Amino acid sequence: MLLKILILIGITFVPALELRASIPWGIFYYSDSMHWGTAVAICIAANIALAFVFYWLLDTVIKWLRHRWAWFARVYGLWEARAQRKIHNKVERYGEWGVAVFIGIPLPGTGVITGAIASYALGLSRRKYYVAAILGVLIAATAVTLVCLLGDAVAPWLLRLFTKKV
């Protein structure tokens, strides 16, 4: 059982996958030995932990690199200014809710790691990012879990709906 928990955590910690892959893995591959609710809870906890650790590491590494190499500070400064121009208005308008929705969209390229990078570049406070990350993880986990649990029940209905000849 411990190995299965570690595998779920490991899948959750993969940047392109996160809980969008670990929840289905837990529900479908571990259904014989783990209740789906336990798998979802493990994946949620691991994704929230990933958000906290990654943002802290990002802050530490960026500060160290900026202090260490002047060229990195210049390049990062340009990149940060560009990111702020592109999305600053949306973050100003929607705040952490906008980041939470971005994190919560269960598609590739979204999630807590991308949300952390964007939040850091925009200067969103650590507290606001953490709130957004928790809300986003809960949104994504709910969506992915519902798709996994209702998929078999809804799929035939959707197929009939979209393949019905008029």
Side-chain angles (χ1 to χ4, degrees):
M1 181 70 136
L2 179 61
L3 179 62
K4 291 179 180 182
I5 292 171
L6 292 174
I7 289 171
L8 286 178
I9 292 170
I11 294 170
T12 304
F13 272 46
V14 174
L17 302 178
E18 295 186 21
L19 60 67
R20 289 142 184 83
S22 62
I23 287 176
W25 188 274
I27 289 175
F28 296 125
Y29 289 107
Y30 297 154
S31 61
D32 59 332
S33 60
M34 184 183 299
H35 186 269
W36 66 266
T38 304
V40 170
I42 290 166
C43 297
I44 288 172
N47 211 200
I48 290 172
L50 174 64
F52 282 51
V53 169
F54 188 81
Y55 195 83
W56 177 80
L57 284 174
L58 182 67
D59 185 45
T60 304
V61 168
I62 294 293
K63 285 179 181 174
W64 181 79
L65 289 172
R66 289 175 89 175
H67 178 71
R68 178 107 167 116
W69 293 307
W71 66 266
F72 181 83
R74 283 191 305 274
V75 171
Y76 181 78
L78 292 171
W79 178 79
E80 185 177 41
R82 181 174 175 254
Q84 287 176 348
R85 278 193 312 274
K86 288 182 86 171
I87 19 181
H88 186 70
N89 290 339
K90 290 179 182 72
V91 171
E92 282 295 315
R93 184 173 180 185
Y94 301 112
E96 56 260 36
W97 285 104
V99 176
V101 169
F102 175 78
I103 291 171
I105 298 169
L107 295 171
T110 64
V112 295
I113 291 178
T114 309
I117 293 168
S119 296
Y120 187 81
L122 293 171
L124 197 67
S125 74
R126 186 180 300 228
R127 185 195 67 76
K128 286 185 177 184
Y129 168 71
Y130 288 159
V131 169
I134 291 169
L135 291 172
V137 166
L138 293 175
I139 292 167
T142 301
V144 172
T145 302
L146 286 174
V147 167
C148 289
L149 296 179
L150 299 177
D152 285 345
V154 177
W157 178 77
L158 287 173
L159 283 173
R160 279 195 306 273
L161 179 70
F162 291 113
T163 59
K164 191 174 186 179
K165 294 185 179 175
V166 180

